Structure formats: C-alpha cells, structure tokens
Amino acid sequence: MRLRCNAADVIRRAEPDLVALQEIDERVPRSGSIDQAAELGKLTGMHHAFGSFFDYSGGRYGMAILTRQPLANVANHRLPDGAEPRTALAVTVKPLDDGPELVFVGVHFYHTEPQRLAQAEALLEALRDETRPVIIAGDFNSFPDSPVLKRFAADWNIPGKQGNRFTFPSDRPSIEIDYILFRPADAFVPGTIHVLGEPVVSDHCPLLLDLALPSAQQE
C-alpha cells in the first residue's frame, strides 16, 4: 500500500505557529493552476501570505508564509536579482494574545555568493530600523562559514541544529544551507532546532525550531 504525503500533512504533523515556504506557485499551469499558498492555508487551517518573485506562465512564482495567528503588515521586500528576481516576504504577527508583536521573514537567497551577500545586505537594510523581535527563516543557499552567514552572525542568533545538520538534498542530505535565526538575542529562549527527515515533499529537509517568549516562561 502506498501512503500519499504532501506539504500540508508535514505542516499539520509539526504543528508550527509560523511557516516559511519557498518555491511557491500562484495559478501556474505546472502546479495545476491553483493558488498554492491559499490552498495550504486552507488545508492547515492557517493564515497565509504570498510574495511574488516574478510573473510566470500566466501566474506568479515566489514564496509564502503561514501563521497560526492573524497576520498583518505584509511586505514583500525586493532584493538584488540573481539569476532570477528575489524578494524577502515579511509579516507582522502576534503569537500570543497578550504578548508582543514580532516580524517573521521568509527568504530564498540566490544565485552566486556575491549576489547572495548583496541580497542579505539589502534585507538587513530593510530591517535596520525595526525595533520588534525579528525571525528570518528559509533557504540561504549558503554554508555556515560563508560570508552571508558570517554577516548575519554579527547581530543575529543562529541556533545550532540537533543531530544531523545537513538539509539538502532531502533524499541524501549532505550540505547545510537552510537556517532559522532571530534578533535580539534576549527576545526568545531557543529550544532545539530539528532537521526533519522528509525526502518526498521537498528537495530540502524542513527545519523545526521551538522558540519561547521569556514572559511566557515566567508564568
């Protein structure tokens, strides 16, 4: 018997509050002409936002964010182009009814190291005046010792992964290029970040990180 597994199944099992999704189609024939972000939101019971990179085949191609709580102030920040146009999708969300707002950003940097570094610098400039806690998650296409990760490490907390840290390719992970990071350092109490073994739904292994708000831990 063959068991079918899709992205919504993986998300439901993980029970996340925030999800960053890369390589998302909106009404593109190759993926059945459906609005993938909206469909995943419906299947998981989560709110969704889509950030377009560019128009493609009668639809649009980009990335998406899902949130357990209502999202607000959606911004799709244009980044310097690589082989393809790129953006960073940012939303404001309030994980706890009586807690602080935070900014959650999804990224998919591309293509060469200089281009990825330029994209990182553009994103940091876009977030320069942001005083609320910020989480960035996604495909950085960059190794841990790369200029991109070193640039973020100067001001951002980059939690280490538990066990096998490799995230790509998902069927035989051998390199680490996907990350979740946040600032300021005292905004959250990080738990364990897990690399989930999921070789079918995506060519990257999903990441799952537990972040607690200090105020919630004191209650």
Side-chain angles (χ1 to χ4, degrees):
M1 179 174 65
R2 175 176 291 180
L3 299 178
R4 297 184 61 190
C5 181
N6 59 37
D9 293 331
V10 175
I11 294 168
R12 284 194 295 260
R13 287 200 303 268
E15 298 182 326
D17 295 298
L18 303 165
V19 183
L21 299 162
Q22 294 77 45
E23 299 187 11
I24 296 296
D25 285 344
E26 182 184 74
R27 307 194 185 284
V28 176
R30 68 181 176 186
S31 52
S33 298
I34 65 171
D35 183 337
Q36 290 187 320
E39 186 67 14
L40 283 169
K42 181 174 69 174
L43 291 172
T44 60
M46 302 180 77
H47 302 273
H48 74 277
F50 175 76
S52 175
F53 292 162
F54 53 86
D55 294 342
Y56 181 77
S57 191
R60 298 191 297 172
Y61 169 75
M63 62 193 314
I65 284 175
L66 304 179
T67 68
R68 188 70 57 192
Q69 299 297 325
L71 52 84
N73 301 328
V74 178
N76 196 32
H77 299 288
R78 175 61 60 184
L79 303 179
D81 293 344
E84 297 176 348
R86 279 294 183 263
T87 67
L89 180 61
V91 304
T92 300
V93 66
K94 199 172 183 181
L96 300 176
D97 291 338
D98 57 350
E101 286 187 335
L102 62 85
V103 178
F104 183 64
V105 185
V107 298
H108 186 182
F109 293 157
Y110 199 73
H111 169 64
T112 66
E113 187 74 71
Q115 290 165 347
R116 290 192 291 270
L117 186 57
Q119 291 162 2
E121 293 288 0
L123 176 56
L124 290 172
E125 177 60 24
L127 298 172
R128 181 170 58 89
D129 297 327
E130 180 57 66
T131 58
R132 295 168 295 187
V134 183
I135 302 169
I136 304 177
D139 179 1
F140 288 71
N141 266 315
S142 303
F143 298 131
D145 61 350
S146 66
V148 170
L149 265 294
K150 289 179 179 177
R151 178 66 181 87
F152 279 104
D155 300 298
W156 295 73
N157 188 310
I158 307 175
K161 300 175 178 68
Q162 180 75 17
N164 183 7
R165 59 186 174 84
F166 299 139
T167 59
F168 181 84
S170 59
D171 57 344
R172 293 183 179 181
S174 58
I175 59 175
E176 181 182 12
I177 56 175
D178 302 275
Y179 307 90
I180 303 172
L181 46 92
F182 64 87
R183 77 165 198 216
D186 61 356
F188 305 98
V189 179
T192 302
I193 181 168
H194 294 281
V195 178
L196 305 183
E198 180 45 65
V200 177
V201 169
S202 171
D203 59 340
H204 291 244
C205 294
L207 300 181
L208 180 64
L209 171 63
D210 293 321
L211 285 177
L213 294 169
S215 59
Q217 284 205 331
Q218 293 171 5
E219 295 177 356

